[in-house]
Structures are given as structure tokens and as C-alpha cells.
Amino acid sequence: MKKTSLYAYITLKSEEFSDFPLEIVTERLGIKPTQTWKAGDRIHPNNPDNPLERSYTCWKFKTETIETLDPEEVLLPIFDLFESKTDVMNQLKEEFDLQANIELVIEVYDGYMPGLVIYPKFSTFSAAIDAAIGIDMYVFSLDSEEE
């Protein structure tokens, strides 16, 4: 049986139909992204029936998905890895006209909803890189098996 799980990710992305050198972002941050794409890349490259393309270039780092009801367990690894890179991120944002975003993704099973707390040190970090914090929530129906 699946349990409520969370993960988080941070992105640096360009404006629509804009491009930037992903390898320079990786080099300057000294962090390997978990995913990247360029404007014009196919969203589903292995599906010939779906020709949709990415409209922007993106550098993304995602945490592990873990079963927890505490958002800090997935936000803290991002803070620990990126907080010391604030100046570098702001330089990259300025140089390549990028936006920073942070997403908390919650997959709710059986009605177990996590508390939604963003602690001050994380909100201070987010503000320092001028990043919005988005929360995506996916709620799956309660188990209705009859016995």
C-alpha cells in the first residue's frame, strides 16, 4: 500500500523560447543536476505520437521521494546543498536572465495530509535567490475495497 510521500526540486530556467548553457550552470554550482532540457527538446522523446516540445531551457535538481508527513525532510537537503551557492545562483540569474523556482510535491494517500510549514531559514534562502515556492499536491482516492 502506498503512503503519503514528498519530494522537492529547485530549478533555474529561462524565459519561454530562450536558451542558456546548462554545462556552465553545472560547472559554476558544482552540483550535478538530476534533469536538464533545452528549449525545443521533445517532452516525450520515446513517444512518436506525441510531438510536444519544451518551450524553455531548464536545469533541475530533485530530491529523493520519501514517505513522510514533514516537508522539511525534503526541503532541508535542498537548503543544505544550495544555501552556500546563493551568490553563484544570483550571478547566473543575472548573466543568463534566469528564474529560480522551488517546488514541494506532495502525493497524498489514504487521507494522510502533511503539515505545510516552511521554516524561516528556508524562506530566507528562497528570498535570497528570489525564488517562488510552489506546492503541488496530488490527492489519491481513499482505498474503498470491500471486504
Side-chain angles (χ1 to χ4, degrees):
M1 176 166 87
K2 290 192 174 189
K3 294 185 178 179
T4 296
S5 301
L6 287 77
Y7 65 90
Y9 61 87
I10 186 168
T11 60
L12 288 171
K13 65 182 192 174
S14 62
E15 287 289 333
E16 200 165 17
F17 303 111
S18 182
D19 206 0
F20 64 94
L22 295 164
E23 62 282 350
I24 289 178
V25 172
T26 300
E27 180 184 314
R28 289 194 195 163
L29 287 175
I31 298 169
K32 184 178 177 185
T34 54
Q35 186 179 16
T36 61
W37 61 82
K38 292 280 207 173
D41 286 353
R42 296 219 8 226
I43 294 173
H44 302 285
N46 298 324
N47 183 349
D49 296 328
N50 189 338
L52 293 175
E53 295 181 350
R54 303 278 186 182
S55 62
Y56 58 92
T57 296
C58 182
W59 186 100
K60 178 178 180 177
F61 181 86
K62 178 185 169 288
T63 66
E64 253 184 272
T65 301
I66 59 172
E67 292 178 357
T68 183
L69 295 176
D70 184 1
E72 189 172 33
E73 287 189 47
V74 294
L75 292 174
L76 193 56
I78 287 180
F79 176 83
D80 289 344
L81 197 55
F82 288 91
E83 193 268 338
S84 66
K85 312 285 185 178
T86 300
D87 290 340
V88 174
M89 291 180 77
N90 284 328
Q91 290 167 357
L92 289 164
K93 287 176 58 190
E94 178 72 25
E95 185 174 345
F96 298 115
D97 194 25
L98 304 178
Q99 297 91 44
N101 292 295
I102 299 167
E103 291 289 326
L104 171 63
V105 181
I106 303 167
E107 298 171 340
V108 177
Y109 290 92
D110 293 326
Y112 290 101
M113 180 68 72
L116 297 177
V117 177
I118 307 294
Y119 292 94
K121 70 180 179 182
F122 195 86
S123 60
T124 300
F125 161 68
S126 176
I129 60 169
D130 195 29
I133 300 173
I135 300 172
D136 291 339
M137 195 170 304
Y138 301 94
V139 180
F140 299 96
S141 62
L142 297 173
D143 188 12
S144 60
E145 289 182 328
E146 292 185 29
E147 296 184 45

